[in-house]
Amino acid sequence: MPSSFFCKSTAANVWKSVISVSAAGKKRGRGKGTGRVIAKDFNRGQQIGVGRHKLILPGLNTSVFAAKKPVEIQDLGKNDEFQEKLQAVRNEMNTFRKFRELPIERGFSGRRAHGRHAGQPDDHNETSFDGFDSIVLMLRPIQNMTGVMGRTKSMQALVVAGNKNGLAGFGMASGKDGRAVVRHARNRAAQALVYIPRFEGHTVMHDFFSRYYQTTVFVERKPRGHGINAHRVIKAICEMFGITDLYANVEGVTRNQINMTKAFFLGLMNQKSYQDIANEKQLHLVDVREENYFYPQILASPEGPVKTDSDIAKSGENLDFTYYINDGRVKLVTPKRKPFYEGDATWYKHLDRLDYGKNREKTKLILAAKYGSTKVLDVFPHFKTNAASFNRDDT
């Protein structure tokens, strides 16, 4: 068989010569639409011995011997359906099927891996992680410049894993394949678990402040049913810990998921127990919450002597719990911007028009409940729907 270009090169190289653009061409802006062209696998739909004619080829599509006799090459006739089936298979290569998934299975944004569940970690040293789950917090490409290999590209992943019952951990990994990197980071997270105590099984023990490099996190404890109001990375970590009610404010660098994760984990790990707080302050630790109708509940008492009012007055100690638990740091509170139309003369005219109807519907319901819907106009004949009759005099 005479040698040709198609025989010397592989299918991948042949397709690359057709649909790719050289480096010099890319610099000149050529081939901007070539990325849409996809290499086709013409081997799909092909079978040995099946073509325009059905053939029996010993050693390829059938055995060499049958009944102790060698099988000869045979032509079983034309195959009219082959060309139609082959064309249908090749036409499917140009069609893209829209992948649909449930909204709850999506990540932080679109089809990206951020925020997606990565599944249960693999078993390690006869340790099973039944009931565990993991979430991808970050998956990004990175580049490294070396003197031997030049610029090398790889993927970096950050994954958090937990059992949603106070036990969780995070892990990082890097490599060439994105799926392998996520799996490696997930297994590392399962091997670095930490246990965090939760208040009544749904929130943190107390408010706290945490900082890692330029990322600062202020966390507040919230009552049951409040939900999680925080950055999406912190929300995913809370899901793995089993924390359902929390508020967190992130200041400083908010685009670094690694520093944010470390800052939040440090804050959770550095939480103080109620007994330690009572012993340190030498005071009773009392919980007064609105959801409990401000009924005081003693959480812990000091093991030693308790400070008196005179001792506190002499020392000048600040008894603000938020100031104490945040080490004297105050959360940044940005004033809410007023709408641009407030302060204009037309805004005050608008308020004057609406002033007469303030609580009007509520008053109607109260009067109807007191005197009955049919007797309201009899008792208050001037109580009508329009503003003119509502404001007119009795004369």
Side-chain angles (χ1 to χ4, degrees), residues 215-258:
T215 303
T216 305
V217 180
F218 287 92
V219 177
E220 296 180 7
R221 189 182 71 176
K222 291 298 179 180
R224 191 181 299 274
H226 178 273
I228 300 178
N229 184 7
H231 193 276
R232 57 189 184 184
V233 172
I234 297 179
K235 186 179 296 185
I237 298 173
C238 291
E239 181 181 349
M240 293 295 99
F241 272 113
I243 298 174
T244 58
D245 306 288
L246 177 140
Y247 171 78
N249 182 30
V250 182
E251 298 179 3
V253 181
T254 59
R255 294 186 178 182
N256 194 330
Q257 294 89 344
I258 300 175

Side-chain angles (χ1 to χ4, degrees), residues 113-164:
H114 305 72
R116 290 179 177 268
H117 289 260
Q120 179 179 329
D122 300 335
D123 298 344
H124 178 71
N125 291 340
E126 300 181 357
T127 301
S128 178
F129 296 98
D130 295 335
F132 278 72
D133 195 7
S134 59
I135 298 179
V136 180
L137 300 181
M138 180 193 68
L139 181 63
R140 64 180 181 181
I142 56 176
Q143 296 182 356
N144 184 25
M145 193 68 180
T146 60
V148 179
M149 301 298 296
R151 180 178 283 105
T152 58
K153 298 181 180 180
S154 58
M155 302 294 292
Q156 186 182 33
L158 173 65
V159 180
V160 59
N163 65 347
K164 301 181 181 180

Side-chain angles (χ1 to χ4, degrees), residues 253-327:
V253 181
T254 59
R255 294 186 178 182
N256 194 330
Q257 294 89 344
I258 300 175
N259 288 358
M260 191 184 306
T261 302
K262 292 182 178 180
F264 188 60
F265 264 86
L266 285 176
L268 293 174
M269 296 169 62
N270 292 333
Q271 291 185 102
K272 298 181 180 179
S273 65
Y274 295 150
Q275 189 62 44
D276 294 341
I277 296 175
N279 294 337
E280 182 179 352
K281 302 295 291 185
Q282 295 183 2
L283 295 171
H284 296 285
L285 187 61
V286 183
D287 185 20
V288 181
R289 289 179 288 165
E290 182 180 0
E291 58 268 22
N292 291 342
Y293 302 101
F294 301 102
Y295 183 80
Q297 180 183 3
I298 298 178
L299 299 178
S301 299
E303 297 177 352
V306 181
K307 290 183 179 179
T308 60
D309 294 341
S310 59
D311 297 336
I312 297 174
K314 291 179 181 179
S315 61
E317 187 176 5
N318 190 353
L319 298 182
D320 187 359
F321 182 77
T322 304
Y323 182 85
Y324 159 75
I325 210 66
N326 290 337
D327 296 334

Side-chain angles (χ1 to χ4, degrees), residues 83-191:
Q83 197 65 25
E84 297 178 0
K85 293 181 179 180
L86 183 62
Q87 190 63 32
V89 171
R90 291 182 177 177
N91 291 337
E92 291 180 356
M93 299 180 188
N94 296 331
T95 58
F96 296 91
R97 296 181 180 178
K98 189 175 181 180
F99 179 75
R100 293 187 177 182
E101 58 183 350
L102 297 175
I104 197 173
E105 297 178 356
R106 298 172 187 169
F108 294 150
S109 57
R111 297 289 303 276
R112 301 182 67 184
H114 305 72
R116 290 179 177 268
H117 289 260
Q120 179 179 329
D122 300 335
D123 298 344
H124 178 71
N125 291 340
E126 300 181 357
T127 301
S128 178
F129 296 98
D130 295 335
F132 278 72
D133 195 7
S134 59
I135 298 179
V136 180
L137 300 181
M138 180 193 68
L139 181 63
R140 64 180 181 181
I142 56 176
Q143 296 182 356
N144 184 25
M145 193 68 180
T146 60
V148 179
M149 301 298 296
R151 180 178 283 105
T152 58
K153 298 181 180 180
S154 58
M155 302 294 292
Q156 186 182 33
L158 173 65
V159 180
V160 59
N163 65 347
K164 301 181 181 180
N165 194 20
L167 192 64
F170 70 95
M172 296 178 57
S174 59
K176 297 294 184 181
D177 186 18
R179 294 183 180 180
V181 169
V182 171
R183 184 173 61 255
H184 193 188
R186 178 190 63 191
N187 296 336
R188 282 188 175 180
Q191 298 169 16

Side-chain angles (χ1 to χ4, degrees), residues 376-391:
V376 172
L377 295 179
D378 297 338
V379 179
F380 300 94
H382 304 304
F383 194 88
K384 296 182 179 180
T385 55
N386 54 345
S389 61
F390 182 79
N391 292 326

